[in-house]
Amino acid sequence: MSLENENLLGLYRKMLLVRAMETKHGSLLQEGRIQLMSHFGTGQEAVAVGVTGPLRQKDILFGTHRGVGEYIGKGMSARDIWLEYLGKRTGVCKGKGTLHLCDRKVNIPGLVSSLGSDFSYAVGTALSSKMNNTGQVTLYFVGEGTCNQADAHPSMCMAALWTLPVVFAVCTNQFCEMSYMSDHYPTEDVAPRAAGYGIPYDIVDGQDIETTYEATEKAVEHARSGKGPYLLEFKTFRMALHFSGDPGGYVNPEDLEEWGKRDPIDLCQEKLLDRGALTEEKDKELRAAVDLEVDSAVEEAFSGPDPTEDDLFEDVYAEKGVI
Ligand SMILES: Cc1ncc(C[n+]2csc(CCOP(=O)(O)OP(=O)(O)O)c2C)c(N)n1
């Protein structure tokens, strides 16, 4: 099966936007213009954009600390993200979320610092959707390292027991912080654990956007039609270091080279060129437009309004002056 050219082109544009967002973030850090630490998901774009592609606006997404890919995939703009990242009062959380943002309009409830605790939140939103018959699916996007957190077990157990509309989408990017998966996993795959709860699962190539999209479409349809949870495991590779302060030195250069040959953006570009859905010239224009979108968003965010002292008390307590 292959996606319609127009859909594939849209996903390609989103992947370019995600990469441009992170590249810009890296340059701003290097130039000393911002102090906002980073967790980049370079190389994982086909997973982040592919798992969010089949979701409807009303569906609920719990993302990861490498969240730009999911945020763009779920419908946030570069502008939405940068206004919040730079802590502006016009940001989606009025500057109080920054990297840990949430966005109600696209149903992203927010990033939790203590990784893994949102396993149970995702099961909670799915339970609520089922009880209220809203037709929403919750997609919980999570790293393989986080699947070793204790909350994973009761969450998957209850999701299966109550036949909840939730998709667990595991991004196996080969690392947990600064260690290889083989250092903290006794098995090669995470997904077969799902069988222990009676949850169906698939192991999916995370480099090919069509594959990630179609696998998710199937899992989301399963959950939406009342058949209960589904688990997907995407095999990919984190081409970036864990975070902006990571000294590196632990990544095998051969792995980088091998995975780099299947960069998800290059693979998608090739497909589009082969199908005649893209020309070299159109590609250049598209990339320039994406860069411009990010640059404009960043400049607008720099000159955006900072929160005032009064804003500190807004949206925190029921009434201003409670403390
Ligand atoms: C409970 C908890 N323990 C440790 C951390 C620190 N931490 C931040 S990111 C990260 C790595 C998570 O690995 P994984 O889930 O595989 O996602 P990846 O970073 O590979 O995208 C860790 C351990 C945390 N945020 N919360």
Side-chain angles (χ1 to χ4, degrees):
M1 284 253 295
S2 57
L3 298 177
E4 298 277 333
N5 285 347
E6 202 180 323
N7 192 4
L8 189 59
L9 204 52
L11 296 169
Y12 177 61
R13 191 187 193 285
K14 281 190 173 181
M15 288 200 289
L16 288 175
L17 184 56
V18 175
R19 182 114 4 135
M21 289 283 284
E22 293 192 342
T23 306
K24 183 74 182 181
H25 189 155
S27 316
L28 291 171
L29 275 171
Q30 270 194 342
E31 291 160 14
R33 287 184 77 194
I34 58 170
Q35 282 148 23
L36 189 77
M37 65 98 87
S38 64
H39 286 296
F40 295 148
T42 322
Q44 305 177 193
E45 294 87 352
V47 187
V49 174
V51 298
T52 43
L55 296 179
R56 299 180 187 162
Q57 183 161 346
K58 70 175 185 176
D59 292 333
I60 297 159
L61 170 78
F62 287 88
T64 72
H65 46 287
R66 307 189 191 283
V68 175
E70 299 99 89
Y71 300 154
I72 297 280
K74 189 71 170 64
M76 288 185 75
S77 64
R79 181 179 179 275
D80 288 339
I81 295 170
W82 276 106
L83 282 171
E84 187 53 41
Y85 271 11
L86 296 194
K88 301 298 173 173
R89 76 190 302 251
T90 42
V92 281
C93 306
K94 302 181 193 168
K96 291 181 182 128
T98 66
L99 281 177
H100 288 245
L101 59 78
C102 58
D103 187 0
R104 280 190 170 190
K105 74 177 179 306
V106 288
N107 276 321
I108 297 177
L111 175 66
V112 181
S113 303
S114 181
L115 293 179
S117 47
D118 41 0
F119 253 110
S120 52
Y121 299 172
V123 171
T125 56
L127 176 61
S128 163
S129 305
K130 182 168 176 173
M131 289 173 74
N132 295 308
N133 203 16
T134 63
Q136 289 164 295
V137 170
T138 294
L139 187 130
Y140 178 51
F141 189 44
V142 60
E144 89 287 341
T146 304
C147 291
N148 278 345
Q149 284 293 89
D151 286 17
H153 165 66
S155 303
M156 289 205 246
C157 179
M158 298 318 287
L161 184 69
W162 291 335
T163 329
L164 299 182
V166 57
V167 175
F168 300 105
V170 181
C171 182
T172 295
N173 65 6
Q174 312 305 324
F175 299 99
C176 179
E177 286 200 330
M178 290 150 231
S179 65
Y180 267 87
M181 186 177 172
S182 51
D183 295 326
H184 53 267
Y185 255 85
T187 54
E188 238 177 66
D189 306 316
V190 182
R193 290 181 187 183
Y197 310 97
I199 299 177
Y201 67 86
D202 292 318
I203 298 177
V204 185
D205 171 12
Q207 303 306 96
D208 182 339
I209 185 81
E210 285 191 293
T211 314
T212 58
Y213 185 99
E214 285 169 355
T216 310
E217 201 171 35
K218 178 179 130 190
V220 167
E221 176 49 33
H222 174 97
R224 205 184 307 280
S225 65
K227 293 186 185 136
Y230 207 104
L231 189 143
L232 298 168
E233 178 177 5
F234 298 95
K235 300 289 191 183
T236 184
F237 192 84
R238 192 191 75 201
M239 307 287 289
L241 291 172
H242 171 54
F243 80 119
S244 37
D246 182 344
Y250 57 90
V251 180
N252 180 348
E254 284 168 20
D255 290 341
L256 258 181
E257 200 187 318
E258 272 313 299
W259 282 89
K261 288 179 192 159
R262 296 195 70 238
D263 180 307
I265 294 183
D266 295 346
L267 291 185
C268 188
Q269 181 198 38
E270 255 169 56
K271 278 190 194 199
L272 287 164
L273 290 170
D274 285 352
R275 291 185 198 172
L278 186 69
T279 59
E280 299 281 356
E281 202 187 329
K282 258 173 70 182
D283 192 38
K284 272 194 199 136
E285 283 170 19
L286 192 58
R287 286 169 187 255
V290 162
D291 287 343
L292 183 66
E293 187 176 331
V294 176
D295 287 346
S296 316
V298 168
E299 291 319 315
E300 182 184 340
F302 268 118
S303 54
D306 289 321
T308 63
E309 211 173 300
D310 276 353
D311 289 334
L312 272 179
F313 299 94
E314 291 291 329
D315 308 314
V316 178
Y317 299 101
E319 279 176 37
K320 191 171 175 182
V322 167
I323 53 163

